[in-house]
Amino acid sequence: MFFRQNEKFPDQKSEHGVRHIAFIMDGNGRWAKKRGMPREFGHREGAKAFQRVVEYCGDIGIEYVTVYAFSTENWKRPENEVKAIMQLFTEYMSEAFRVFAEKGLRIRFIGDRSRFDADLLCEMNRLEQDSKDNKKVLNVAFNYGGREDILHAVKVLASEGKDFTEENLTVALYTEQCPEPDLIVRTGGEMRISNFLLWQSAYAELYFTDTLWPDMQEKDVDAAVAEFARRNRRFGGV
């Protein structure tokens, strides 16, 4: 029998009820443009917001955080912007992620790793290994796409000769070690999920805010979580 993924992870009751929150971190480029700065500057400020928000989520008892850092479609951006994002990511591999690990976060990189060079892959693998015993989880979706995630899971099942059931596909996804997200937050004013966690978001609550990602503060996380608490999740029931 198929089970909803949250049923696989016994609920650890919290005041706000959010176990897994996911962020579509949108608005870095527009934030920089408003200030007459290059888009790359916005990504650097966005990285600061990333660290601030992830740390705060851990502080308020959220066990799983997933961030949409770089999509499979982001390769279409100007070459200099892609290079800047990769450079920034490399810098944070040696800074913020180590801080997260020290704070008890398990680091997991989800997505297609085939386009990354050997040095980057080695560092990603090392951070995952070093933090593997931590309880709280940070999923960094890097070169990630929801469609590719599903396709990858299908290929895994085919290679293992398993039946194509909802349960089997769910546990073959990149996020198989996490419950489905309770809440997906998109910043920047756009109202779409842009190929993010397509399978996993079937019953997620969606929250959209005009706040650009670099401006995201603890109070904005509180507002999203408070809105979640006001909603009635029926999962198809009454």
Side-chain angles (χ1 to χ4, degrees):
M1 179 181 295
F2 174 65
F3 53 87
R4 203 165 42 245
Q5 201 173 11
N6 280 0
E7 295 171 1
K8 183 181 176 183
F9 299 84
D11 190 16
Q12 304 295 317
K13 295 296 184 182
S14 61
E15 182 178 348
H16 49 66
V18 178
R19 294 194 65 201
H20 186 177
I21 190 170
F23 293 96
I24 301 175
M25 304 183 294
D26 193 19
N28 291 340
R30 282 174 285 157
W31 186 92
K33 185 178 180 180
K34 285 174 62 176
R35 291 159 177 79
M37 303 292 289
R39 291 174 60 86
E40 292 82 354
F41 183 76
H43 292 302
R44 188 164 294 277
E45 291 302 306
K48 296 176 183 178
F50 160 66
Q51 184 169 354
R52 178 171 62 245
V53 168
V54 170
E55 288 188 19
Y56 183 66
C57 287
D59 290 343
I60 63 174
I62 296 177
E63 299 171 72
Y64 303 87
V65 179
T66 301
V67 295
Y68 205 7
F70 191 85
S71 78
T72 50
E73 290 75 36
N74 285 157
W75 296 102
K76 301 174 185 176
R77 294 187 174 188
E79 184 178 355
N80 64 322
E81 182 176 351
V82 171
K83 286 183 177 179
I85 292 172
M86 292 298 167
Q87 177 60 38
L88 187 60
F89 185 74
T90 301
E91 292 175 11
Y92 264 71
M93 293 280 281
S94 60
E95 296 177 13
F97 292 144
R98 287 189 177 84
V99 173
F100 294 151
E102 291 170 0
K103 288 181 173 291
L105 288 175
R106 180 182 178 186
I107 313 300
R108 299 183 68 246
F109 299 99
I110 62 173
D112 178 9
R113 304 189 186 194
S114 64
R115 297 189 67 167
F116 302 141
D117 62 38
D119 289 343
L120 182 57
L121 285 172
C122 182
E123 184 68 3
M124 292 165 71
N125 291 334
R126 192 178 67 78
L127 282 168
E128 288 182 327
Q129 181 65 24
D130 288 350
S131 64
K132 65 182 176 63
D133 295 326
N134 292 339
K135 301 302 182 185
K136 293 182 179 180
V137 174
L138 169 62
N139 294 313
V140 182
F142 202 63
N143 196 27
Y144 175 88
R147 290 178 177 178
E148 192 279 328
D149 191 0
I150 295 169
L151 181 59
H152 172 265
V154 169
K155 290 178 178 178
V156 168
L157 296 184
S159 68
E160 296 177 351
K162 293 183 178 178
D163 293 335
F164 293 93
T165 65
E166 289 190 28
E167 180 176 350
N168 284 345
L169 194 146
T170 297
V171 297
L173 295 168
Y174 292 125
T175 54
E176 57 89 14
Q177 298 185 45
C178 303
E180 293 174 349
D182 300 297
L183 176 63
I184 296 178
V185 176
R186 179 168 188 151
T187 62
E190 303 289 359
M191 295 188 180
R192 54 181 178 270
I193 58 174
S194 297
N195 198 21
F196 182 51
L197 301 179
L198 296 181
W199 181 277
Q200 299 91 329
S201 64
Y203 282 101
E205 295 296 320
L206 305 180
Y207 179 86
F208 301 100
T209 174
D210 290 334
T211 301
L212 300 174
W213 178 255
D215 290 328
M216 194 73 171
Q217 303 291 332
E218 291 87 346
K219 64 180 178 61
D220 300 303
V221 177
D222 288 340
V225 169
E227 173 59 26
F228 172 86
R230 286 192 287 268
R231 298 185 185 180
N232 179 21
R233 304 183 77 196
R234 297 186 296 275
F235 298 99
V238 295

